[in-house]
Amino acid sequence: MLDDILSNENVSKLIKEVVNNNRYNKKEDANYLEFIDNEQALFILIDALYKYRMIINDKYLFNDFVVQLNLVFRKITNFDDITNGINKLITKFTIIKLGYKEKEEEHRDEIIKYVYDKYITDGYLFHSINDVYIKDIIENGFIPQKYNNLYDKFIKLQGMLKDDVISKDFTLKSISFTDSFEKAYFYASHSPLYFYGLLCDNDLIKKEEDKKAYLFNDYEGCLKNINKIISRLELNDEKAKYLRNVFNEEWKLINKSNSGPTIMAIKRNLILKEDINLDKIINDKNIKLVDAISMIIDSRHESINYEDKIDAKDILFIRLPSYKSFVIERKIVKEEVPKKEVKIESNNNYGKASILMIVGSILITLGVIITIIMTMIGG
């Protein structure tokens, strides 16, 4: 669904800016989700691209949309206003797509209904999974909570550890859907949340760098966190060994070192029978067009419980890049000071003097020899 968008050159450049450039990602935040790096900006950006795909989906308008999306992230100082700016862009490009520029008020009702049909009637709800389960779901469909897991072992761990280290209710028969692609991407990047909670998101793991380990698929970093939990809870050898074993089994089961965020998208009408009141929005002429669009595309369903089987034919799998894949590692490059070349210069004067001394010695020796010979002849 998003593959061609994410492979777009301009989108790739924007993603790198959003993830690595503080001007794009260091914003004021009122979000209840606990972000530990700069990933919130990425999730909001991908959510905006998803909305463009669902509502506008015009290849000729896309590059201009990305340019203006860049400006929104670069200029606006808090995430709430960025979301509002994105809603304005979606409204603006929908008007252009429908050919109603400069005439939007005349066609207000039609524009609202168009967005509703695209985003709600034909839209999706989302549940995040680990990609290791895709093959089984394709073969057998999706039955909530009925897949290969280590729930029994995690229940035992709950009895050993503090309650806030593993907080999931493993007896539930239902799963949760959300209508927010942004939140779904967050959940997918931290899936399963109970494992992330154990390894990074608890009061025993305090340093920000340690909390990032799961997001970066860092096995050694997560193992270090496990050892900190063992130390801070003063677990005996038997409990420490059990905790490490469960950690390693789950890591291997979900192939965490190589996994990528994956979202199951299900048609809204299969899960939700009642949604937003479209007639009320259309008939209330005091609602501005952009506000009406916002009421439709903003998230309203944080968690929708669902426990029935879903056929594989009704599931769309959306694979997304990991946050780690966008991060540019900043290495400190030490500037090497060039070594001074030590030149050994020959002293020519010394050389000349040495030659003269040798010649002189030879001449003196010859003079002595000649003198001896002459003396012998004269005698």
Side-chain angles (χ1 to χ4, degrees):
M1 175 182 281
L2 292 175
D3 290 349
D4 58 333
I5 284 181
L6 295 177
S7 63
N8 178 279
E9 183 179 356
N10 292 330
V11 170
S12 298
K13 290 178 181 177
L14 178 55
I15 289 176
K16 288 179 182 177
E17 291 287 358
V18 162
V19 172
N20 298 285
N21 188 333
N22 287 345
R23 183 172 182 180
Y24 286 78
N25 56 51
K26 292 298 183 185
K27 312 288 184 179
E28 296 175 19
D29 172 33
N31 200 308
Y32 75 96
L33 293 174
E34 294 187 11
F35 297 96
I36 51 172
D37 205 53
N38 301 325
E39 76 269 28
Q40 183 178 5
L42 171 65
F43 298 157
I44 292 174
L45 171 62
I46 302 302
D47 179 79
L49 296 172
Y50 168 79
K51 287 171 178 171
Y52 182 92
R53 163 65 83 201
M54 290 299 299
I55 298 168
I56 302 158
N57 197 25
D58 188 311
K59 64 180 180 180
Y60 299 108
L61 297 175
F62 184 62
N63 284 334
D64 188 24
F65 178 80
V66 174
V67 169
Q68 296 193 40
L69 196 56
N70 186 315
L71 290 174
V72 167
F73 275 90
R74 186 154 53 92
K75 298 287 187 181
I76 298 178
T77 59
N78 69 78
F79 285 123
D80 283 343
D81 287 344
I82 285 177
T83 299
N84 291 334
I86 290 169
N87 289 348
K88 289 178 181 178
L89 283 184
I90 294 294
T91 303
K92 172 183 175 180
F93 279 85
T94 300
I95 292 168
I96 297 172
K97 160 90 173 181
L98 296 176
Y100 297 147
K101 192 175 181 181
E102 312 298 340
K103 298 179 181 179
E104 57 263 29
E105 288 306 319
E106 297 176 25
H107 298 277
R108 174 185 178 276
D109 296 357
E110 185 178 345
I111 295 168
I112 293 172
K113 189 175 186 310
Y114 172 85
V115 173
Y116 182 90
D117 287 342
K118 290 292 184 181
Y119 198 75
I120 302 296
T121 305
D122 296 332
Y124 296 88
L125 296 175
F126 313 106
H127 177 71
S128 302
I129 62 170
N130 291 91
D131 55 9
V132 71
Y133 295 118
I134 291 178
K135 184 176 182 229
D136 181 65
I137 294 171
I138 290 174
E139 292 176 354
N140 304 302
F142 182 79
I143 305 174
Q145 308 297 2
K146 296 293 183 181
Y147 51 87
N148 189 15
N149 59 57
L150 304 177
Y151 279 8
D152 289 343
K153 294 184 178 182
F154 276 95
I155 291 172
K156 183 176 178 179
L157 277 182
Q158 275 185 316
M160 293 167 39
L161 308 177
K162 293 173 63 177
D163 291 340
D164 58 353
V165 177
I166 303 179
S167 58
K168 178 180 172 65
D169 183 354
F170 292 97
T171 65
L172 287 177
K173 303 301 182 183
S174 62
I175 59 166
S176 293
F177 281 91
T178 179
D179 63 348
S180 168
F181 199 83
E182 174 196 347
K183 293 182 178 68
Y185 197 177
F186 172 89
Y187 296 139
S189 299
H190 298 83
S191 178
L193 285 179
Y194 60 85
F195 196 38
Y196 166 64
L198 167 65
L199 299 177
C200 297
D201 190 25
N202 60 72
D203 292 338
L204 299 174
I205 308 302
K206 301 182 182 302
K207 292 182 180 179
E208 184 176 324
E209 287 302 315
D210 293 337
K211 289 182 175 292
K212 295 179 184 179
Y214 198 84
L215 185 63
F216 283 82
N217 291 4
D218 179 3
Y219 172 83
E220 295 298 332
C222 288
L223 179 58
K224 183 176 72 172
N225 289 348
I226 287 290
N227 290 330
K228 286 183 178 180
I229 291 172
I230 290 170
S231 174
R232 287 166 183 169
L233 293 181
E234 298 181 345
L235 300 182
N236 61 34
D237 290 345
E238 181 181 353
K239 291 181 178 179
K241 181 179 179 181
Y242 187 80
L243 175 55
R244 290 193 186 100
N245 285 342
V246 174
F247 159 66
N248 280 309
E249 283 185 58
E250 180 73 6
W251 192 277
K252 182 178 180 180
L253 175 66
I254 64 175
N255 191 26
K256 179 58 183 170
S257 294
N258 303 303
S259 66
T262 302
I263 296 172
M264 287 196 324
I266 315 294
K267 285 289 186 179
R268 295 176 79 108
N269 56 19
L270 293 178
I271 308 294
L272 274 180
K273 301 307 178 185
E274 294 182 9
D275 214 321
I276 191 170
N277 189 330
L278 176 62
D279 290 337
K280 184 177 180 180
I281 295 176
I282 289 177
N283 294 330
D284 189 345
K285 303 305 180 182
N286 292 320
I287 300 176
K288 294 180 180 178
L289 179 58
V290 66
D291 294 332
I293 301 302
S294 297
M295 292 172 69
I296 294 171
I297 66 178
D298 282 348
S299 174
R300 293 181 306 284
H301 301 287
E302 165 59 28
S303 180
I304 304 165
N305 291 330
Y306 190 81
E307 57 183 49
D308 295 331
K309 179 180 177 180
I310 303 172
D311 291 335
K313 65 180 176 58
D314 295 323
I315 301 172
L316 173 67
F317 294 99
I318 304 175
R319 296 174 183 259
L320 295 166
S322 67
Y323 175 70
K324 176 184 177 182
S325 67
F326 296 122
V327 174
I328 299 173
E329 294 184 12
R330 293 172 175 80
K331 296 181 180 179
I332 299 175
V333 179
K334 294 182 179 179
E335 185 176 349
E336 295 186 3
V337 179
K339 295 180 180 179
K340 292 183 179 180
E341 293 184 7
V342 179
K343 294 183 179 180
I344 302 176
E345 296 183 357
S346 60
N347 189 327
N348 292 333
N349 292 331
Y350 175 79
K352 292 176 181 177
S354 298
I355 294 171
L356 290 174
M357 288 175 64
I358 293 170
V359 173
S361 298
I362 293 172
L363 291 174
I364 292 172
T365 303
L366 286 174
V368 171
I369 293 172
I370 291 172
T371 301
I372 292 171
I373 293 172
M374 294 297 295
T375 303
M376 291 176 64
I377 294 172

